[in-house]
Amino acid sequence: AEPQRAVLNQFAAEHDLVTGQYYPVVRGRLVSVNDEQLQQEATKEQRSEQRVGIGRELNLTWLAQLPDNNQVVSGAWFDAKSSAQVSVESEIAQRLDIKLGDTLAFSIGGQQLSATVSSIRKVDWNSLQPNFYMILSPDVLADFPATYITAFYLQPEQNLLLNQLARLMPTVTVISVDNIIQQVNSIISQVTIALSFILLIICCAAALVLVAQVQATLEQREQELAILRTLGARHAFLRNALLLEFSLLGGLAGLFATVLAESMLFIVQQRAFDLPFTLHYTLWWLGPVLGIVLVTTLGWLQLKRLMRIPGAVLIRRVLQS
């Protein structure tokens, strides 16, 4: 609460902690857009043309300065003369079809107030800083009782300070983002292990397909070898031709796998996580090399016995078949 800000600032100063900006927070619900009542919850049975709302209360705040991790993409931020205005986050604006100049009505503690949309903001949700869907001009919520939220970085060796903070201000809620990140990392590790097993199964299946393909063409390869030996081809020439065939096949397979992997990583990083994409140069040589080694090894193991058969015996087998 407002009186506790001074206590928290003193605690932070005593322990060399740097707190971020304090954001006032008021809980409220968006109830209408341009006097059009929002449907708070959409179900399969409700097929009306009524605009669907957010379905829960929002954390509303009021600020005079644009937060560092926010960028105005349309409209203008509040100035000293702004009155009853609201800035809307771009994704929620697109979802609710909110445009500049629209009038939004909020219900806060049984009271209803309205504000005009003056700007649309793009928010960096990965900043680990407090972010808001709706930011109102200071004149709208200044008279409402508010709680405050802030963020600070705590060194790992200072974790015991959280216990001191809880004893000093038992009514303050402390959220450790580090614990959340550890849980997310644990989930990602488990998913990675599961995907690795799936990849291993796929590789084994691909190897079986290659073996089956070679076995299916074994009779045809016997005929080809018999013809080439009749024409005077030597053992070294035939061996090198087979190794070259499987090397090209493995190299193309590895290159295709690398291109597909990079394409999927690009889509996931750009579309899902909004992260910058960088090429993984190691994959561009590792993929083809592994493909060449694996395919050539499997192919040669299947055909080496065929290569050791004497030419006369091989021609006799082909003629008899």
Side-chain angles (χ1 to χ4, degrees):
E2 175 68 33
Q4 294 175 311
R5 292 175 56 180
V7 180
L8 181 58
N9 288 335
Q10 182 179 357
F11 178 85
E14 292 175 354
H15 298 90
D16 297 328
L17 302 178
V18 180
T19 59
Q21 180 181 355
Y22 285 92
Y23 296 86
V25 177
V26 175
R27 299 283 291 178
R29 185 180 294 271
L30 178 64
V31 293
S32 69
V33 177
N34 295 330
D35 296 327
E36 177 187 351
Q37 293 296 317
L38 297 180
Q39 181 179 325
Q40 296 301 323
E41 183 177 0
T43 63
K44 293 182 180 180
E45 291 77 14
Q46 295 173 325
R47 296 295 183 180
S48 65
E49 297 297 328
Q50 185 178 0
R51 194 183 319 210
V52 178
I54 300 176
R56 61 177 177 85
E57 286 189 332
L58 297 173
N59 289 324
L60 305 175
T61 189
W62 66 92
L63 298 171
Q65 299 292 330
L66 179 68
D68 294 335
N69 55 326
N70 287 233
Q71 178 184 359
V72 175
V73 295
S74 62
W77 185 250
F78 312 131
D79 55 29
K81 299 180 181 180
S82 297
S83 176
Q85 295 183 1
V86 58
S87 177
V88 184
E89 190 269 338
S90 58
E91 292 183 2
I92 203 70
Q94 182 179 5
R95 172 185 162 189
L96 300 181
D97 194 22
I98 295 175
K99 303 178 181 62
L100 293 177
D102 288 350
T103 301
L104 308 185
F106 300 90
S107 177
I108 303 175
Q111 302 183 44
Q112 189 162 321
L113 54 89
S114 300
T116 304
V117 178
S118 60
S119 65
I120 306 294
R121 294 172 293 111
K122 182 179 180 180
V123 177
D124 180 11
W125 296 103
N126 298 321
S127 63
L128 298 183
Q129 294 293 320
N131 291 308
F132 301 89
Y133 285 123
M134 308 283 180
I135 299 179
L136 292 98
S137 56
D139 63 293
V140 181
L141 299 177
D143 296 333
F144 285 87
T147 56
Y148 288 82
I149 182 173
T150 187
F152 61 90
Y153 175 71
L154 191 68
Q155 296 286 349
E157 59 271 13
Q158 294 179 301
N159 282 336
L160 293 178
L161 292 180
L162 294 178
N163 297 331
Q164 299 181 28
L165 182 60
R167 289 192 297 267
L168 180 63
M169 293 183 290
T171 59
V172 171
T173 301
V174 180
I175 301 174
S176 176
V177 180
D178 183 57
N179 293 334
I180 299 175
I181 294 177
Q182 290 179 1
Q183 292 180 1
V184 172
N185 287 336
S186 176
I187 295 173
I188 292 176
S189 298
Q190 295 175 10
V191 172
T192 302
I193 293 174
L195 292 177
S196 299
F197 277 112
I198 294 175
L199 178 61
L200 180 60
I201 294 173
I202 292 175
C203 289
C204 293
L208 291 176
V209 170
L210 176 62
V211 171
Q213 191 272 340
V214 173
Q215 291 293 329
T217 60
L218 195 60
E219 183 177 352
Q220 180 182 353
R221 290 181 179 275
E222 285 185 359
Q223 296 175 0
E224 293 175 353
L225 288 175
I227 294 173
L228 291 173
R229 288 199 175 174
T230 303
L231 296 176
R234 298 190 177 186
H235 180 272
F237 174 81
L238 297 176
R239 180 195 61 201
N240 294 336
L242 286 176
L243 293 178
L244 180 60
E245 175 189 350
F246 288 119
S247 296
L248 291 175
L249 182 62
L252 290 174
L255 180 62
F256 177 75
T258 301
V259 172
L260 183 60
E262 290 282 48
S263 301
M264 294 302 296
L265 285 173
F266 174 80
I267 294 174
V268 170
Q269 289 182 321
Q270 290 284 325
R271 300 294 179 87
F273 297 104
D274 196 21
L275 296 174
F277 175 76
T278 55
L279 288 174
H280 301 78
Y281 296 102
T282 304
L283 289 178
W284 289 96
W285 67 264
L286 185 60
V289 168
L290 286 178
I292 291 173
V293 172
L294 292 176
V295 174
T296 303
T297 302
L298 288 173
W300 179 251
L301 289 176
Q302 294 295 308
L303 296 177
K304 67 178 182 178
R305 288 183 298 177
L306 186 62
M307 294 292 298
R308 293 175 180 174
I309 301 176
V313 177
L314 184 61
I315 294 173
R316 192 181 304 115
R317 286 178 53 177
V318 172
L319 293 175
Q320 290 176 353
S321 62

